[in-house]
Amino acid sequence: MSSEIKVCQNCHKDFTIESEDFDFYKKIDVPYPTWCPECRLKRRLRFRNERTFYRRKCDLCRKDMIGMYPPDTEFPVYCVRCWWSDGWDPASYGRDFDFSRPFFDQLQELMNKVPAISSMNDDGVGSVNCEYTYDWAFSKNCYLGACGWYVENGLYMYIVNHAKDIMDAWNVNNSELMYESINCDKCYNCKYCELCFDSNNCVFGFDLRGCSDCVLCVGLRNKRYCILNRQYAKDEYEKELAKLNLGSRAGIEANKKMFSEFSLQFPRRYTHAPKTTNSSGFFLLEAKSAKQCFYCFSPIENSSYIVINDRAKDSYDCIYTGNPELCYESVTPDNSRGNKFTVFCWKCVDAEYSNNCHSCTNVFGSAGLKHASYAILNKKYSKEEFETLRAKIAEHMKRTGEYGEFFPNKLSPFAYNESAALDWFPVSKDEALRHGERWKDDEKKNYAITKKPAELPDLITEVQDDIVNEVIGCSHDGGCGEKCTAAFRIVPAELQLYRRFGVPLPVLCPNCRYYARFKRVNPPRLWKRSCDCGGPQSTSGVYKNTIPHSHGNTSCFAEFKTSYAPGRPEIVYCEGCYNAEVA
């Protein structure tokens, strides 16, 4: 089929379904989508609660725990160890399908009975000492991280994989000893770095490759001993480095402000997509035929509308996942094949319209199953019975307008402001309620603060071991509107890393630090723009080109789709103009 323009049934804006999209939908036998890509993404994000936690008891062992669900949740909630154990039987909740009722109503009733896991991780199964993580697997000694696997000794992370000794990071992979960094890969001992690769011992770097011992630098390649892009001899570099006072809080803040202004004086590539062909999006590595994909830090092929991924093939509309194949409209279908309309179904084959099922084959409309096959609404069938009944239910869902649509928001156990949708698609409480969303007001926290942020030592060398016993007030004091906890503690593993990094203690709580990083992250959305190269200089006149470009003294005519929205302060160049200046 040729491409077609459709009207989103949610936001009522036009969107395009390309011919290759129709081929994919036919291949996996699903109707074409009725919602635009952005609305589909928001709907999936409604099923992730990454930053709102509650104290409660496990409904099986009765021990105290911290999890995603408040104590008044309708369904039972088990601690991670109980949920993964053999102490309960998910199949005991099986039930028959009622063809006189909508499918989603029956699935919701099932999900309100089957025990949920307190936080989505594999602590005690595939991970060790990772109880307080979310969407986390195959790791050791991790604390308050979301979306990662194969990590050792990490705290306060988001999208971190194949890494060690890492803290306060956003999308940092295959790296070690990293602090306060964003979108980095294969780096060692770097701090306050962004879009840096194959580099080590760098502080305040942007768009560095193959660099070492570079500070406050932008767009360098294979350089060493540079400060503010100026080359120094080793002994001169060390003298200048000492003047920057990078071990003190005052020095860090002064250099952070200076570097923010300095980095805006240089052009940046409209996208980051090395070794990529026939693809669009931002932060793609070795992608092939990937359309509107974002933060895919491993090879991805023949896939579209993927957001945050570690390898994928022939998959559409999947988020926060690794190794999906032939998967569609799913949240975290890790190591799965043929998943359609699923939430946290790991290591599955042909799971469909299911929630939190693992190592399953051919399950439909089920919840909480492990190592199960041929189940519908948690009830097991023979292969022949399953295939016949599944086909009848699909036809029933087509008549009710349900088949081909992801779970409706009413099935999400989270309010809008508890879900990851709030980060990527922020709205006020009034806006959310006006659109029929649920909103949960913050619970008052009565912390007895024992140490004000102004009382913290300026240098990490001045910090005593007993700091771990203090309750430190956050500088925002709950007034920032960013899920500020108002107070926080320094845990022992965290203190050890601060000492290794040689950085001062933070004065912001983990949530406020997270949102400060997140403001620097490009959204999973593309805008059409023209190259900012105006001939001998940028169109703003801020940057002077170092060599003549192919278009001479006239403005570059190149247009592209980029995640840098129009009106942002960055100088955005096309591939050719950027390579002329940087590569």
Side-chain angles (χ1 to χ4, degrees), residues 565-577:
R568 285 179 52 156
E570 296 91 350
I571 301 168
V572 182
Y573 274 16
C574 69
E575 188 77 14
C577 292

Side-chain angles (χ1 to χ4, degrees), residues 84 214 312 406 459:
W84 286 107
C214 289
F406 189 71
L459 301 173

Side-chain angles (χ1 to χ4, degrees), residues 488-532:
F488 62 100
R489 287 184 180 273
I490 302 295
V491 300
E494 181 180 3
L495 179 59
Q496 292 177 18
L497 280 179
Y498 287 133
R499 286 170 171 166
R500 290 186 67 188
F501 291 129
V503 297
L505 295 180
V507 294
L508 296 176
C509 71
N511 273 355
C512 290
R513 302 200 302 268
Y514 165 79
Y515 283 105
R517 288 189 296 277
F518 189 72
K519 287 176 182 178
R520 302 182 62 83
V521 173
N522 285 18
R525 182 182 176 187
L526 297 177
W527 288 268
K528 188 174 181 179
R529 284 185 59 169
S530 299
C531 180
D532 283 337

Side-chain angles (χ1 to χ4, degrees), residues 258-276:
M258 177 176 63
F259 185 64
S260 177
E261 297 169 355
F262 180 71
S263 65
L264 290 177
Q265 298 175 23
F266 296 85
R268 54 193 66 189
R269 186 192 277 122
Y270 76 100
T271 187
H272 174 78
K275 299 180 181 179
T276 291

Side-chain angles (χ1 to χ4, degrees), residues 390-403:
R390 184 259 169 214
K392 289 182 179 179
I393 294 174
E395 287 302 315
H396 171 76
M397 293 175 66
K398 290 175 183 177
R399 290 192 295 271
T400 60
E402 297 172 296
Y403 193 75

Side-chain angles (χ1 to χ4, degrees), residues 190-412:
C190 292
K191 296 172 287 193
Y192 312 103
C193 286
E194 185 174 350
L195 278 173
C196 294
F197 305 88
D198 303 291
S199 297
N200 61 83
N201 302 324
C202 294
V203 186
F204 288 114
F206 183 89
D207 189 19
L208 305 180
R209 282 187 175 275
C211 294
S212 64
D213 301 286
C214 289
V215 179
L216 299 164
C217 291
V218 179
L220 298 186
R221 300 293 183 266
N222 304 310
K223 295 292 186 179
R224 192 174 189 185
Y225 303 131
C226 293
I227 299 176
L228 290 170
N229 284 29
R230 179 182 174 183
Q231 182 70 62
Y232 290 89
K234 181 181 179 182
D235 57 342
E236 294 175 324
Y237 168 83
E238 292 174 348
K239 290 177 182 178
E240 293 297 319
L241 181 62
K243 296 177 184 178
L244 294 175
N245 199 21
L246 292 174
S248 75
R249 188 174 297 106
I252 290 293
E253 291 305 314
N255 282 285
K256 183 182 294 185
K257 183 177 185 300
M258 177 176 63
F259 185 64
S260 177
E261 297 169 355
F262 180 71
S263 65
L264 290 177
Q265 298 175 23
F266 296 85
R268 54 193 66 189
R269 186 192 277 122
Y270 76 100
T271 187
H272 174 78
K275 299 180 181 179
T276 291
T277 58
N278 189 32
S279 299
S280 62
F282 184 79
F283 202 92
L284 305 177
L285 303 181
E286 300 181 38
K288 180 180 179 182
S289 299
K291 181 177 68 178
Q292 292 197 45
C293 294
F294 301 85
Y295 304 107
C296 300
F297 45 86
S298 294
I300 178 172
E301 183 177 352
N302 299 329
S303 298
S304 297
Y305 313 115
I306 307 291
V307 179
I308 303 175
N309 173 257
D310 185 1
R311 298 183 183 274
K313 185 177 181 181
D314 299 314
S315 295
Y316 272 49
D317 286 283
C318 295
I319 59 173
Y320 299 81
T321 184
N323 297 320
E325 183 175 355
L326 287 171
C327 291
Y328 175 59
E329 272 275 38
S330 290
V331 177
T332 320
D334 289 357
N335 295 311
S336 294
R337 189 178 193 278
N339 283 13
K340 296 182 285 190
F341 315 105
T342 63
V343 176
F344 283 114
C345 289
W346 296 352
K347 296 182 180 178
C348 289
V349 176
D350 295 330
E352 194 170 5
Y353 281 108
S354 294
N355 174 57
N356 204 15
C357 293
H358 303 276
S359 301
C360 293
T361 302
N362 291 288
V363 293
F364 189 101
S366 294
L369 293 178
K370 293 168 281 188
H371 302 283
S373 298
Y374 304 113
I376 296 175
L377 292 179
N378 283 35
K379 182 177 180 179
K380 296 182 179 180
Y381 296 88
S382 69
K383 180 176 183 294
E384 294 75 16
E385 290 172 332
F386 171 86
E387 291 175 346
T388 300
L389 182 56
R390 184 259 169 214
K392 289 182 179 179
I393 294 174
E395 287 302 315
H396 171 76
M397 293 175 66
K398 290 175 183 177
R399 290 192 295 271
T400 60
E402 297 172 296
Y403 193 75
E405 300 294 341
F406 189 71
F407 299 167
N409 289 344
K410 70 177 184 179
L411 264 67
S412 171

Side-chain angles (χ1 to χ4, degrees), residues 18 34 69 81 107 130 159 235 247 267 287 295 500:
E18 306 289 354
T34 61
Y69 308 101
R81 286 174 177 79
L107 179 60
C130 296
I159 320 171
D235 57 342
Y295 304 107
R500 290 186 67 188

